[in-house]
Amino acid sequence: MENMQARDLYSFYGKSPVILGVSFDLDPGEFLAVLGRNGVGKTTLLKSIMGLTDRCEGGLAFGSQDILGLSTPQRSKLGIAYIPQGREVIPQFTVRENILMGTFARPDGKRDIPDYLFEMFPILDEFISRRGGDLSGGQQQQLAIARALAMDPKILILDEPTEGIQPNIVKQIEDAIVRLNRERGLGIILVEQNVPFARTASDRFLVLDKGRVVLSGKSEDLTDDVVEKHLTF
C-alpha cells in the first residue's frame, strides 16, 4: 500500500492562491480528518489532491510517484477515489449503472461489482434497478461511496459525507467509513464538521484556517480547548 505526502502545497483558482503551503502525510491505511470553519480551504485541499483546481505548486506524491503533473483520471487509476460534496450521482442512471461507472477507473479492467458493497449498503441491492435520482439524499450518499469503492481504491477522500443526511442514515455512513478503514485497510482523508466523529474515527487530524495548516496532531490531541479555539463559530 502506498502513502501520500504533500509538501508546501499551493493551489490556485485563477491567480489567487487558496491553499497556502500545506504539508501532510497519510501513511498506508491511516485515517486523516481535515477540520476547520467554513470557507477556509478544506474542499479546495481535496480538489487539489485530485487535480481539480486551476494550478498546483509544491510537492504531492502517492507512493514514489509525483502526481501533480497527472490528470484527474490518471490519479484515480492509481487508486485515489474522491466523493465530493453533492455526491454527483447521475440521476437518470440506475443504481447498478452508477456503481459500474466506478469500475472504469480500475487499472485491471474488471467490471464486477464487489459483493461486500451490498453487504455494507443493503438498500442498494434492494434498489439496484431504481434510478439514482429517485433515491433519498442518504441513499445517494451510500451510492456515491459504493461507486467510489467499485474502483478498488487504496485511498478514499470524502468531503462532508453526512452533510444534509437524515439522522438514521448518518450512523450507517459513519460506521461504513470506519469499517472500510479498519477492516479493509483503506486510507481515508475526511473533511468533517462532526468533531466527535472525527475524534473517535481518525488517527490524525489537521486544522485549516485561511488556506494554511494552523494545527495538526493525533486524534487524542483534538481536545475541547482546540475545538473551542479553532472550530467554533
Side-chain angles (χ1 to χ4, degrees), residues 196-213:
F197 175 63
R199 183 187 282 138
T200 58
S202 67
D203 299 302
R204 290 189 299 113
F205 73 94
L206 58 85
V207 177
L208 289 181
D209 190 17
K210 298 178 182 175
R212 300 183 185 276
V213 176

Side-chain angles (χ1 to χ4, degrees), residues 9-20 44 48 52-58:
L9 190 67
Y10 284 76
S11 192
F12 297 78
Y13 290 124
K15 294 182 178 179
S16 301
V18 180
I19 296 300
L20 300 158
T44 300
S48 303
L52 293 169
T53 62
D54 293 340
R55 179 166 56 95
C56 274
E57 298 175 354

Side-chain angles (χ1 to χ4, degrees), residues 79-97:
I80 307 171
Y82 173 51
I83 303 166
Q85 281 181 308
R87 302 176 279 277
E88 297 184 7
V89 164
I90 297 181
Q92 65 269 33
F93 279 19
T94 65
V95 167
R96 181 188 299 278
E97 289 166 341

